[in-house]
Amino acid sequence: MWRSLWRSIDRFSLQYFKYVINELRQIKVVDWHNRELVIDLLQSIVELVTYGDRQDPLIFEYFMEYQVLAEFVRVLKISKNSRIEAPLLQYLSIMIQNMNSDHSIYYCFSNDYINNIIGHKFEFGGDIALYYVSFLRAVSNKLNKDTVCLLLKVYGDSVVSFPLDDMVYQYITTPPVSKYFSDLVSSLSKQFFHLDALVHATEMRTNQKRKELLLETDKIVDDLYYFNDMLGVGQSRLSTVVIENLLRILIFPILLPLLQLGQSNGSNLSAVTSFYTVSRLLQVIGGKGILETERAENSSLPRDTVSNKRSGILAHVFSDNPSLSLASLFLLFILEEAKDLHPLLAQMIGLNGMQNMIAVDGNIGNLLVKYMDQILNALLKVLASQPPFSILIQWHTGWFLRKLLILQGKGLGDHNFELLNTSYQQSCECLQKELDGCWFDHIPEVLRNEWPNCKAALEESSQCKDPFFVLELDDSQQATDGDATSYFAWKRMVETVKVFILHLQLKSCIFKGELLQELLLNMSSPIADSSKTHASDIASASFGSEVSLGLGIPCTIAFSNAGIRDIYLIPKARETTGKVLLAEKHPFRSQRGVVLAIGPLAGLNPKVDEDHPTWLHLQIREFEPKLHKTKVRGHQSSGMSNHVADGRWTLGFSNAKACEAARLSILEEIRKQRSSVESILAPLLQDSYLGNLSETESQDE
């Protein structure tokens, strides 16, 4: 009825706005009797403020000057079961959504009015929750880097709180909602057990198993970073509930069985997976980040878990199983590098009886120094073992050795020098064997390409090194799926080169105290890139091109779709590259031929057929490294399940003597090519390169 008295007044005028405000201020209590009147007043205010924001600055200035938003807060406080909250939130949402000017938004978010409405204790029955969420959405849509500060409560230079923070944290850390965190940690724990099952699965092929392990560990790491994000919020109640669940459900159940040294009841993670789990936790979250809470400080472990120096984690470090030894040593390296050994964690991993060797800041370097000689000896025995351990185990063992040599800061003892010298000689012998393999022509190029990669991997810190390698050490001992193709020969050659580089770098650490920056090769016989062309038409020949038949050996070959054809066999080496060509005589030029097929000279392995002495079999490498690059992780090729099978040529000659002559011609060209490669590698394979280990041993004496 009150509106009818003002029909002659423009309802979008400042005068009308003042009247509406005065009417609202007359309301002392909101109940069912005046509820509709109050709703009408609120609606009118919102309409006028929205209009004023766009059309009439005087209306909005009055809105600010007389603190009209304070009336909305007052209405909420004087409401008595009137259910005024829902329409009030609705109209506020409309007003905020329709504000265009930054000036209007700044005012609305200032003076704590919005904070007071957000923090009001609503009774969330009926539709009130929907209107409340809509209101929060309207506010959040107007927040940006300039306006968000208006909702912060600041004391001095520190942010004290943000709207809803306290209520949200109280809500999510109180049962039953807090069960979310225990469920989350339980899910993570199940992932680790699934990972453990994959680690010990025996029915999967190596490549498929590695792919499954990578997928599972990626999911685990994502979840760990989610926990780290929650702890990084810095809210004590949230941190406490997260850490309590991590300790209770994951960390204690994993570490305690480790200290019991094999007394597993069958329901625990294996030791290697346990070390992976703890290492990843420490890398992502950190030891002090997990353990510096009141509940963690008050937690206790059985006091008799450690009885002597070879109990706890040290018992695993000195294990005869290199996988277990490297996994446990890696955990110590993470703790040493991060200087993050909390006293409780020291107790948990079996070091609580060695506090005099642990610095105040958590540095366990003194502990490693105390057992340095024994640890170095154990690692060097792995490198010098016969038969040798897998390439993967050797490589990671070398990474540990380099770290320990830096930490020790002095030379090796006599017995350890002897082991290192033995291991170094074995790496040289393995490389020399590859000179008789089918990829000898690529060894210089692989040396050059892998040198910076291996150096970077050796320099990798413990915090950055992916502990995934500990999960695949046992599998690395298995044969490579029983395949003897050139693809697996390539993998073996590359891995052999990496181990040789490793030993050169370890040797450099002994002599120079640092890694070699560059690879020094005999450049008098330069490394030739197989993609470069040469002056010789044979060296630069391609399919369909013309070549001279002057060096060609006449023979025949049978094609499945073209019958038997007369051709010429042309093997030719030029420095470190070599090709074998099959050419057919040119129809118009008698001394020229047209190339029908090309293969690499290395790996031909020419053999005369036992039953047909005029037949010569040649083995052709079909795998092309440049076209089939595989992603390398942890210096171990991920493997290719679809590698092509090698080719085979069978050539026919007029008689057995001609066949044998062709075989010898091929071998002579291979010898020339191998000789060029050997001249490049010769300095690296000499004992004098960087000095002789046995000489240094005698100097140390």
Side-chain angles (χ1 to χ4, degrees), residues 33-91:
H33 295 92
N34 61 357
R35 178 179 181 274
E36 294 301 322
L37 172 62
V38 174
I39 291 175
D40 282 347
L41 291 171
L42 294 175
Q43 181 181 358
S44 296
I45 291 173
V46 169
E47 290 174 349
L48 285 162
V49 170
T50 303
Y51 173 81
D53 179 48
R54 301 184 180 187
Q55 305 291 336
D56 191 343
L58 292 177
I59 292 178
F60 202 84
E61 287 177 9
Y62 187 87
F63 172 72
M64 294 187 293
E65 182 179 354
Y66 287 89
Q67 305 288 309
V68 177
L69 267 182
E71 292 301 311
F72 283 75
V73 178
R74 188 179 69 86
V75 167
L76 280 177
K77 293 180 178 179
I78 63 175
S79 175
K80 293 184 177 180
N81 301 321
S82 63
R83 304 193 66 178
I84 196 69
E85 293 90 346
L88 183 144
L89 290 172
Q90 181 185 18
Y91 292 138

Side-chain angles (χ1 to χ4, degrees), residues 53-54 95-105 142:
D53 179 48
R54 301 184 180 187
M95 183 180 73
I96 293 172
Q97 287 170 356
N98 286 282
M99 284 183 172
N100 287 333
S101 69
D102 293 340
H103 182 62
S104 304
I105 296 170
K142 297 296 183 180

Side-chain angles (χ1 to χ4, degrees), residues 368-618:
L368 291 173
V369 170
K370 176 177 175 60
Y371 296 103
M372 181 67 70
D373 192 62
Q374 298 97 308
I375 296 174
L376 287 172
N377 185 258
L379 294 175
L380 287 166
K381 283 181 178 179
V382 171
L383 277 188
S385 173
Q386 284 295 330
F389 284 99
S390 70
I391 299 293
L392 187 66
I393 288 179
Q394 291 184 63
W395 174 260
H396 290 292
T397 299
W399 180 85
F400 283 102
L401 278 170
R402 189 250 174 183
K403 294 288 184 184
L404 290 171
L405 287 173
I406 294 175
L407 182 63
Q408 178 178 239
K410 61 180 182 180
L412 299 173
D414 294 352
H415 57 299
N416 285 336
F417 256 119
E418 183 179 349
L419 286 171
L420 182 58
N421 199 30
T422 298
S423 177
Y424 173 75
Q425 293 301 326
Q426 289 172 359
S427 73
C428 293
E429 292 170 5
C430 289
L431 186 64
Q432 288 172 325
K433 287 181 181 178
E434 290 300 325
L435 288 171
D436 294 324
C438 67
W439 290 102
F440 72 83
D441 54 327
H442 280 255
I443 292 177
E445 185 179 1
V446 171
L447 265 168
R448 182 180 59 190
N449 293 340
E450 292 297 335
W451 186 270
N453 298 333
C454 293
K455 179 177 177 293
L458 283 172
E459 292 174 331
E460 191 174 25
S461 69
S462 305
Q463 290 295 322
C464 296
K465 188 177 178 67
D466 190 342
F468 177 84
F469 76 91
V470 307
L471 301 177
E472 54 179 353
L473 290 177
D474 284 335
D475 279 340
S476 66
Q477 286 296 94
Q478 301 175 7
T480 317
D481 294 309
D483 203 317
T485 64
S486 61
Y487 165 71
F488 287 104
W490 165 265
K491 283 183 62 177
R492 184 189 64 245
M493 184 272 288
V494 172
E495 291 171 340
T496 300
V497 168
K498 288 180 180 179
V499 170
F500 178 72
I501 293 174
L502 166 69
H503 281 82
L504 282 182
Q505 293 289 24
L506 289 177
K507 197 174 180 183
S508 178
C509 286
I510 296 293
F511 285 93
K512 296 187 173 183
E514 61 182 5
L515 296 178
L516 287 171
Q517 298 300 314
E518 297 179 357
L519 176 64
L520 304 177
L521 292 176
N522 180 8
M523 300 310 294
S524 60
S525 179
I527 298 176
D529 190 332
S530 58
S531 65
K532 293 181 179 179
T533 59
H534 302 283
S536 167
D537 62 344
I538 294 178
S540 61
S542 59
F543 179 78
S545 64
E546 289 188 23
V547 294
S548 171
L549 297 179
L551 299 176
I553 304 171
C555 58
T556 60
I557 189 170
F559 292 102
S560 58
N561 57 352
I564 298 177
R565 299 172 67 171
D566 293 325
I567 59 170
Y568 288 82
L569 170 69
I570 309 175
K572 184 61 179 177
R574 184 180 179 87
E575 296 178 345
T576 62
T577 61
K579 294 180 180 179
V580 59
L581 309 180
L582 299 183
E584 193 172 31
K585 182 179 289 187
H586 195 284
F588 306 114
R589 306 173 66 182
S590 60
Q591 298 301 313
R592 305 290 290 176
V594 179
V595 176
L596 300 178
I598 303 176
L601 194 61
L604 282 180
N605 192 23
K607 289 185 178 180
V608 176
D609 190 279
E610 294 181 0
D611 299 324
H612 303 84
T614 60
W615 291 5
L616 183 65
H617 299 297
L618 303 179

Side-chain angles (χ1 to χ4, degrees), residues 630-668:
T630 57
K631 183 178 180 181
V632 176
R633 178 174 180 178
H635 288 258
Q636 174 79 348
S637 297
S638 60
M640 295 171 52
S641 58
N642 298 320
H643 56 275
V644 294
D646 290 331
R648 180 177 174 180
W649 295 349
T650 299
L651 307 177
F653 294 85
S654 58
N655 53 59
K657 184 177 180 180
C659 184
E660 177 63 15
R663 186 183 75 88
L664 294 176
S665 177
I666 292 173
L667 291 177
E668 174 61 18

Side-chain angles (χ1 to χ4, degrees), residues 288 334-341 361-364 463:
K288 292 180 180 178
I334 291 176
L335 293 170
E336 191 279 329
E337 191 170 288
K339 297 177 176 54
D340 200 16
L341 185 62
D361 62 359
N363 190 346
I364 62 170
Q463 290 295 322

Side-chain angles (χ1 to χ4, degrees), residues 238-310:
L238 177 61
S239 297
T240 297
V241 72
V242 170
I243 290 172
E244 284 180 355
N245 282 288
L246 282 172
L247 290 172
R248 178 175 56 86
I249 300 174
L250 188 62
I251 298 176
F252 285 167
I254 286 177
L255 285 178
L256 279 174
L258 275 180
L259 301 184
Q260 294 169 359
L261 300 182
Q263 300 175 22
S264 173
N265 58 13
S267 63
N268 302 321
L269 288 178
S270 66
V272 168
T273 307
S274 296
F275 281 122
Y276 169 84
T277 302
V278 180
S279 296
R280 262 307 187 196
L281 276 166
L282 293 175
Q283 283 181 327
V284 176
I285 299 176
K288 292 180 180 178
I290 297 175
L291 299 168
E292 283 189 349
T293 65
E294 183 178 352
R295 291 292 183 89
E297 296 287 349
N298 295 332
S299 300
S300 61
L301 296 173
R303 294 296 179 182
D304 58 351
T305 53
V306 179
S307 57
N308 57 67
K309 67 178 182 179
R310 289 295 177 89

